[in-house]
Amino acid sequence: MTLAPTIDTQRLRLRGHVASDFDHFADMFASERSTFMHGPLTRRQAWFAFCGDIAQWDLFGHGAWGIERLKDGTFVGQVALNKPPHFPELELGWFMMEGFEGHGYAFEAAEMARSYAYVELGHDTLVSYIDAGNVRSIALAERLGATLDTTADTPDQEDCLVYRHPSPEALQDGGMEAYA
């Protein structure tokens, strides 16, 4: 069984999901916040999504991390390296729980997950599949240096934009921090 590695950033811990994360996950996916991620979902549907995110570690060697704040252990969101069968490419995805946006947590976690994909997993490209109406996720992708790739294949969903992240070489040349 492949488990999600635990990775600490300056303020966060990326760790495998634990059972207590599910209630937060289900609540978020039951809310209007999930509109851009195929929601809202019933609790049952959220359970299947949660388990699918976790199972990818064992099936594919990548998957979702729960994000917790180091200073108090609070669960603040999820960052993931996803490639279920209906995704054309490995995706870097994220969401934050209500009240934890605007602190740079999603950027910090996504940057570390991307570095992990490049350094530890040996990938040379990543995409983020983002609903065209999700302006906050588009802004984060662009802040991470990703650019709209209009030629990339999309999963079977309407209004999906593909943002391609800079290659490991481009990140290194740009002086961005590498996975440590």
Side-chain angles (χ1 to χ4, degrees):
M1 181 172 183
T2 303
L3 299 175
T6 299
I7 303 169
D8 288 349
T9 69
Q10 183 177 355
R11 301 176 299 157
L12 305 172
R13 174 164 291 137
L14 281 56
R15 50 133 176 99
H17 274 294
V18 295
S20 61
D21 294 345
F22 176 66
D23 286 334
H24 302 289
F25 186 97
D27 289 347
M28 192 280 299
F29 271 99
S31 75
E32 289 303 311
R33 294 177 56 77
S34 68
T35 302
F36 298 122
M37 299 177 290
H38 312 293
L41 302 178
T42 66
R43 190 167 175 83
R44 178 184 174 102
Q45 291 168 324
W47 175 251
F48 292 129
F50 184 71
C51 290
D53 286 350
I54 295 168
Q56 287 186 69
W57 283 109
D58 194 38
L59 297 171
F60 307 123
H62 55 75
W65 285 277
I67 306 168
E68 69 179 36
R69 217 171 25 195
L70 283 174
K71 73 177 183 179
D72 60 8
T74 300
F75 176 71
V76 300
Q78 175 179 291
V79 65
L81 298 170
N82 290 315
K83 191 178 182 310
H86 61 284
F87 279 18
E89 297 185 61
L90 184 63
E91 182 213 25
L92 172 61
W94 52 77
F95 66 80
M96 300 306 297
M97 305 309 294
E98 187 170 1
F100 295 101
E101 312 93 334
H103 300 282
Y105 297 150
F107 179 85
E108 192 173 323
E111 190 174 48
M112 187 56 70
R114 180 177 64 190
S115 293
Y116 182 85
Y118 289 164
V119 174
E120 297 298 321
L121 300 180
H123 289 272
D124 59 3
T125 189
L126 282 174
V127 297
S128 290
Y129 298 118
I130 303 174
D131 186 287
N134 193 342
V135 295
R136 291 187 76 147
S137 277
I138 290 168
L140 177 56
E142 290 174 348
R143 184 171 171 223
L144 287 161
T147 56
L148 184 61
D149 183 347
T150 58
T151 64
D153 289 334
T154 61
D156 295 333
Q157 63 191 68
E158 287 186 38
D159 298 325
C160 180
L161 301 176
V162 180
Y163 275 81
R164 185 159 310 277
H165 290 269
S167 68
E169 294 79 21
L171 290 173
Q172 195 170 25
D173 293 343
M176 293 182 78
E177 248 182 359
Y179 171 78

